[in-house]
């Protein structure tokens, strides 16, 4: 069900999104060779609670942890474990938080130390496709406009676009309508209206788009064992245009990265 949000609700959702953004920023400086996903997961749980929020994923559908942590060939929904990260790994960190009755939910794929050039390119292209999708999230456009923008850009780089997993609406429930796939045709699907809030999240594979699931019932892997990247933002339609509720600026501040990639999608100035 699609539930449009009032301006007041959108501001509450911005608070929830920023809990997640700050959590990812805190984790950014901790992600390095030798660290385990379980250690990072505990840091995240404690940090979210310190901000007056609850971990959004913990216990949902019986998921056992605070973070979905998916290294290398894992696409999404990885369960944190005690295996140390290695130089050259990548790891998608997907985090949710519940505050004031609303969810924030976004993700970033981190390099662990120095990664291979082809892996770095996968991360770059996937993140660029996210913003190309966000550009199309405006009044009068449709789900297919966002989906086509992501698919076209990534497939033109030779990557596989995952079909079975999609972005989604966001609000008092973690998963609301509409579904936001990363493939599709322009002009198709639900039309966007003022007050809609969604999570747009390209999941892009270096090789085949095909995936498989581990017996744990959660972890999704690429079928060919090649790396996968995942980036996700929370976006509202405000004054007919896309308004970012989440930010990667806390990550970039922790890592000493300068970026203006979000500037075109923010009518409300962000105070870090």
């Amino acid at each position: 069900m699609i539930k449009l949000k009032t301006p007041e609700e959108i501001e509450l959702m911005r608070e929830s999104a920023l809990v997640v953004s700050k959590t990812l920023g805190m984790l950014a400086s901790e992600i390095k060779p030798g660290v385990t996903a379980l250690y990072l997961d505990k840091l995240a749980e404690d940090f979210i609670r310190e901000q007056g929020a609850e971990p959004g994923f913990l216990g949902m559908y019986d998921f056992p942890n605070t973070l979905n942590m998916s290294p290398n060939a894992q696409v999404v929904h990885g369960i944190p474990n005690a295996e140390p990260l290695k130089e050259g790994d990548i790891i998608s960190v997907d985090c949710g938080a519940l505050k004031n009755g609303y969810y924030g939910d976004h993700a970033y794929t981190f390099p662990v130390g120095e990664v291979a050039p082809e892996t770095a390119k996968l991360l770059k292209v996937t993140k660029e496709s996210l913003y190309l999708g966000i550009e199309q999230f405006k009044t009068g456009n449709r789900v297919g406009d966002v989906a086509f923008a992501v698919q076209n850009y990534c497939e033109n780089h030779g990557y596989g676009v995952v079909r079975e997993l999609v972005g989604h609406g966001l609000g008092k429930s973690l998963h609301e309508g509409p579904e936001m796939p990363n493939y599709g045709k322009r002009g198709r699907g639900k039309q966007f209206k003022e007050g809609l809030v969604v999570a747009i999240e390209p999941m892009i594979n270096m090789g085949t788009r095909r995936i498989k699931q581990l017996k744990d019932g959660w972890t999704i892997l690429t079928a060919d064992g090649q790396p996968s990247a995942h980036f996700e933002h929370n976006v509202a339609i405000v004054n007919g245009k896309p308004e970012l509720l989440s930010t990667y600026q806390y990550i970039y501040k922790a890592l000493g990265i300068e970026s203006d990639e979000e500037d075109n999608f923010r009518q409300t100035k962000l105070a870090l």
Side-chain angles (χ1 to χ4, degrees):
M1 186 183 218
I2 295 174
K3 299 178 181 179
L4 302 179
K5 308 303 189 294
T6 65
E8 293 76 18
E9 287 180 302
I10 286 172
E11 289 311 307
L12 288 174
M13 292 193 69
R14 192 192 304 274
E15 285 188 41
S16 302
L18 290 178
V19 170
V20 178
S21 299
K22 291 173 184 175
T23 304
L24 293 176
M26 178 274 297
L27 293 172
S29 57
E30 299 284 344
I31 294 173
K32 60 190 74 169
V35 167
T36 70
L38 271 176
Y39 168 76
L40 298 169
D41 186 74
K42 183 67 170 84
L43 286 181
E45 179 181 352
D46 293 345
F47 187 83
I48 289 168
R49 295 190 191 283
E50 286 166 7
Q51 295 185 81
E54 298 174 23
F57 298 166
L58 183 62
M60 182 168 285
Y61 314 123
D62 295 324
F63 187 74
N65 293 87
T66 292
L67 301 173
N68 291 165
M69 303 196 76
S70 310
N72 302 320
Q74 292 185 17
V75 182
V76 287
H77 301 164
I79 298 174
N81 60 33
E83 185 175 335
L85 297 175
K86 302 187 301 295
E87 182 84 15
D89 284 347
I90 58 172
I91 186 163
S92 162
V93 182
D94 192 355
C95 180
L98 178 64
K99 186 175 184 180
N100 300 319
Y102 293 90
Y103 282 93
D105 166 25
H106 46 284
Y108 191 91
T109 301
F110 293 89
V112 181
E114 292 293 323
V115 301
E118 60 269 24
T119 305
K121 182 183 176 186
L122 173 68
L123 301 188
K124 179 176 182 288
V125 169
T126 303
K127 182 151 65 72
E128 288 170 349
S129 79
L130 170 60
Y131 291 108
L132 290 173
I134 291 170
E135 278 181 5
Q136 299 299 316
F137 183 62
K138 53 192 175 185
T139 301
N141 271 9
R142 294 180 180 271
V143 167
D145 297 308
V146 173
F148 177 82
V150 173
Q151 179 185 11
N152 186 58
Y153 189 70
C154 293
E155 288 185 347
N156 282 343
H157 282 86
Y159 298 139
V161 179
V162 173
R163 303 289 203 271
E164 296 86 348
L165 302 155
V166 298
H168 50 89
L170 192 66
K172 289 187 174 180
S173 298
L174 182 63
H175 298 112
E176 297 183 355
E179 289 193 343
M180 297 290 295
N182 296 303
Y183 70 99
K185 295 184 177 180
R186 287 178 288 201
R188 301 282 182 87
K190 298 285 187 182
Q191 191 170 51
F192 301 137
K193 297 180 180 180
E194 182 77 10
L196 181 61
V197 181
V198 299
I200 299 174
E201 49 178 319
M203 289 158 274
I204 309 299
N205 301 342
M206 187 177 287
T208 179
R209 67 176 177 84
R210 302 192 183 283
I211 59 173
K212 59 185 179 181
Q213 189 173 40
L214 289 184
K215 291 180 180 177
D216 63 18
W218 284 101
T219 307
I220 304 294
L221 296 162
T222 59
D224 59 6
Q226 292 199 65
S228 183
H230 175 216
F231 290 87
E232 178 181 16
H233 266 314
N234 300 155
V235 199
I237 294 182
V238 177
N239 300 321
K241 299 186 292 187
E243 169 77 5
L244 269 182
L245 304 183
S246 53
T247 182
Y248 292 151
Q249 291 303 317
Y250 293 103
I251 294 172
Y252 297 155
K253 186 175 180 181
L255 299 179
I257 296 170
E258 295 284 337
S259 173
D260 60 0
E261 67 191 18
E262 299 178 2
D263 290 358
N264 292 334
F265 308 111
R266 205 178 296 287
Q267 300 165 58
T268 301
K269 186 173 176 59
L270 183 69
L272 287 180

